[in-house]
Amino acid sequence: MSLKDILPGKLGFGAAPLGNMFRAIPEEEALATVEAAWNDGIRYYDNAPLYGAGLAELRMGEALASKPRDEYVISTKVGRVILDEIEDVSSRDFGEKSGVFAHGRANKVVHDYGYDATLRSIEGSLERLRTDRIEIAFVHDLAQDFWGDNWIARFEEARTGAFRALGRLRDEGVIKAWGLGVNKVEPIELLLDLQEPRPDAFLLAGRYTLLDHRRALQRVMPRIAELGLGVVVGGPYSSGALVGGPNFEYAPATPEILARVAAIKAIAERHGVSMKAAGIHFSLANPAVAAVIPGASRPERIAEDSAAFAEVVPAAFWQDLRAAGLVDPAAPLPA
């Protein structure tokens, strides 16, 4: 089954902010944000145990508990097991994501891509999400931004562990699809080169956006489309940099990135195009992309995302971006 057959729409909800990403979000605000997404017709919700050490899953489970389970799709991730034991949050080493969830729960996070740990991770997610099933499981952060030079060893651990466990769960009908949820292109490229096992989908965060898409376009996107697989694009606003935020890739945006944003914004303003619409529609134009999942921590952000998704962007805008060298010549553009 293809990813596009599984997902109920092209606009989903990325739950990382619900895990107190960068700030402590009041419980009522988090729940209201999920409710706003539901009321706007969003029916695909992506989560992960890492987001606040289970906090995002707990909040989403609470928010969706009263909704008809057959009407929405959940993806979550494996590679981490959340324990009841408490740890020192300041001592965690989360690679480039260190400090991102400093306001999350203090429950101990165990990194484990093994077979049994994968099954335990799924069980923990089901309990926190208060559901009897998830549709899609992504193997999380199996890349150099989290593991540095050790990422190949962790990939091998997942190849003999998590990949086989998820393949079995898919074959048994427990999940509908599995793949990688990463911020880098190389792990996807490596997995696609393996004869077995065969993934169904990928969640690629930050690597197929208006601000950063060349490497993904060169290395994996055409192959994914050719194989009939699908991509969920996470972080279509590049950690907020595209829409005026200070961060790019979980760190302060560089002068080069800020200059690129300013150049895109100048063209967008000439055509009356919002920056959110530019980001969403660019990502969705690639035939490999099945959905985009902006993250939101406030209800009003949901309305902005839905409006951007519905916005009609003139073809001349894309032509001007290309003429200015702001999109790769090979990048598919919206019709």
Side-chain angles (χ1 to χ4, degrees), residues 131-165:
T131 185
D132 61 349
R133 65 190 185 277
I134 62 166
E135 282 76 15
I136 308 163
F138 294 113
V139 184
H140 203 188
D141 283 335
L142 201 59
Q144 55 271 51
D145 59 324
F146 201 92
W147 296 108
D149 293 340
N150 197 40
W151 80 272
I152 293 290
R154 300 315 296 256
F155 187 98
E156 180 61 16
E157 177 189 337
R159 186 188 69 79
T160 59
F163 297 175
R164 291 176 181 175

Side-chain angles (χ1 to χ4, degrees), residues 40-124:
D40 259 24
I42 292 173
R43 295 294 183 268
Y44 169 43
Y45 301 88
D46 175 70
N47 222 308
L50 180 70
Y51 302 158
L55 179 60
E57 289 185 321
L58 286 167
R59 286 172 161 176
M60 184 169 284
E62 172 70 19
L64 295 178
S66 62
K67 311 303 184 189
R69 184 61 185 89
D70 291 341
E71 292 186 13
Y72 62 91
V73 167
I74 286 180
S75 61
T76 193
K77 304 181 185 76
V78 301
R80 278 70 176 239
V81 178
I82 310 300
L83 305 182
D84 292 333
E85 180 183 340
I86 301 301
E87 67 180 353
D88 179 4
V89 175
S90 66
S91 68
R92 289 171 172 164
D93 181 7
F94 285 175
E96 291 181 11
K97 294 181 181 177
S98 290
V100 172
F101 296 106
H103 300 284
R105 299 198 306 163
N107 293 62
K108 187 171 184 177
V109 180
V110 177
H111 307 288
D112 194 332
Y113 295 99
Y115 190 100
D116 292 339
T118 297
L119 300 180
R120 290 199 304 275
S121 179
I122 294 285
E123 289 172 2

